[in-house]
Amino acid sequence: VSSPPGEFALIERLLSRLGRPRRAILGPGDDCAILRPTRARQLFTIDSLVEGVHFRLTWGTPEELGARALTVNLSDIAAMGGVPTAAVVNLAVRSGLNLAFFERIYKGLGAAARASGVEVVGGNVTRADQLAITIALLGEVRGGAMRRDTARPGDTIYVTGTLGDAAAGLRILSRRLHGRGAARVFLVGRMLRPTARLKAGQRLAQIRPAPAAIDISDGLWQDLGHILERSGVGAEIDASALPLSDAYRATVGDDPALALGGGDDYELLFCLRRELAPSALSRRLGVMVTRIGRITAARGATLVGTDGARGRRIPAVAGWDQLRSRSGA
Ligand SMILES: [Mg+2]
């Protein structure tokens, strides 16, 4: 009922082709990879892309899918200020997909790995009901890692890039939002071909004291919540300060709902003890940086500036959904 054994073996052989052992003493092909010892602290993370949950094959190319599977992991390494080093891949293969399809997935994954200096040192292929790509990724931090539990009252909160683009792109792909022209291409591209902010994360991690940081994978409001919870603090966010792209404004309008609640942007959110000008930070990190709020001693997150001139405070203790219904967004 599924692909013949011969083809299955070929897919496995594809995986071995990704490895070009440099950092690894032994790459794919044995029971385990062997990595060289290192003095640096090791970061270790894992993430999956599952068909029907995180993607549909009609949305983009297999190359984009393979690259994105690595990028979502790279983003976690970026959030801690690390340098990604080695990965292992598990591919869950369903019936109805041919070898050429997997060659293209591996092509995209391999290109993303080379571009980020990652060695794919091993992998596994399994039959399943749904296509899924799971990647475990190692990284190194030379100095201190950025963590979620180090935000303090008075810290200034910043984000890289623009927010809500991928969420808008996802809605365009699933026909819940109409996009056109260059704006559509940009937003859909932000969903299908996200960028992990590795350089920015590594440069941020050199700031002392190390900033609290997280990558925005589930949406600004939810990911900010992780920092607040882990640090035992609150935050005040200025809705009017959220960085929205021209494509977002042209397609969604000025409503920041998707920028607050939408996921998949893979930008970084970070908190600095000593306030720095966004323009100077942008130059230092090599990506646009925007100041969006402040960490407070009072628990919970508060959104200000959403209610026109009155600037009413809208506390959002129970997450974005509640905030959304209160603000009528
Ligand atoms: Mg993350």
Side-chain angles (χ1 to χ4, degrees):
V1 288
S2 57
S3 46
E7 186 149 306
F8 203 71
L10 281 173
I11 292 168
E12 252 175 340
R13 206 185 309 156
L14 268 179
L15 193 66
S16 71
R17 243 190 262 161
L18 282 177
R20 295 174 303 139
R22 285 175 294 120
R23 209 177 281 110
I25 294 169
L26 186 63
D30 212 310
D31 293 306
C32 295
I34 304 175
L35 304 181
R36 290 182 201 288
T38 162
R39 298 178 68 88
R41 291 186 195 180
Q42 302 291 303
L43 303 176
F44 198 11
T45 186
I46 188 166
D47 214 336
S48 291
L49 291 186
V50 181
E51 185 179 14
V53 178
H54 303 101
F55 67 89
R56 292 183 193 286
L57 291 184
T58 51
W59 286 353
T61 66
E63 287 88 346
E64 286 169 336
L65 185 60
R68 185 161 164 249
L70 183 63
T71 300
V72 299
N73 280 282
L74 292 172
S75 181
D76 282 328
I77 298 289
M80 313 238 355
V83 177
T85 53
V88 289
V89 181
N90 184 67
L91 198 59
V93 177
R94 67 162 168 83
S95 58
L97 300 168
N98 60 24
L99 184 62
F101 171 83
F102 290 104
E103 274 174 341
R104 294 180 63 188
I105 287 212
Y106 282 44
K107 192 176 162 207
L109 173 55
R114 278 189 297 281
S116 54
V118 169
E119 264 179 67
V120 179
V121 296
N124 180 61
V125 179
T126 177
R127 281 180 225 284
D129 294 332
Q130 280 165 304
L131 174 68
I133 311 171
T134 302
I135 298 182
L137 179 63
L138 276 172
E140 293 182 356
V141 271
R142 269 114 213 193
M146 298 190 290
R147 303 162 52 132
R148 299 177 177 183
D149 59 1
T150 56
R152 297 289 175 265
D155 284 4
T156 306
I157 307 171
Y158 303 84
V159 290
T160 62
T162 53
L163 300 176
D165 296 330
L170 173 62
R171 277 154 185 77
I172 290 171
L173 286 168
S174 50
R175 301 181 199 284
R176 284 178 285 157
L177 181 66
H178 184 70
R180 58 173 80 162
R184 182 189 199 283
V185 170
F186 173 81
L187 296 172
V188 166
R190 288 272 285 164
M191 173 65 200
L192 296 178
R193 295 181 299 277
T195 307
R197 300 295 183 194
L198 284 165
K199 268 273 146 14
Q202 288 156 17
R203 287 175 185 171
L204 268 177
Q206 292 168 358
I207 295 177
R208 291 290 172 269
I214 191 168
D215 66 316
I216 304 176
S217 53
D218 297 327
L220 169 67
W221 206 252
Q222 196 171 321
D223 289 317
L224 170 67
H226 294 313
I227 286 202
L228 304 185
E229 204 171 295
R230 298 274 295 165
S231 297
V233 293
E236 193 175 276
I237 299 295
D238 181 358
S240 64
L242 297 179
L244 307 181
S245 67
D246 292 343
Y248 181 103
R249 289 187 193 278
T251 307
V252 179
D254 290 335
D255 182 351
L258 288 183
L260 280 161
D264 299 306
D265 282 321
Y266 299 103
E267 296 295 344
L268 299 180
L269 180 152
F270 58 96
C271 311
L272 294 187
R273 197 74 27 94
R274 192 164 55 87
E275 185 167 340
L276 294 172
S279 56
L281 272 170
S282 299
R283 279 194 301 276
R284 189 157 168 182
L285 303 188
V287 59
M288 184 181 81
V289 172
T290 307
R291 179 169 42 207
I292 62 163
R294 190 165 295 280
I295 296 290
T296 61
R299 299 286 187 98
T302 303
L303 191 66
V304 298
T306 45
D307 208 13
R310 282 176 294 161
R312 188 163 57 93
R313 290 186 173 211
I314 303 158
V317 272
W320 169 246
D321 287 338
Q322 189 181 342
L323 171 76
R324 198 173 156 77
S325 58
R326 282 195 202 184
S327 66

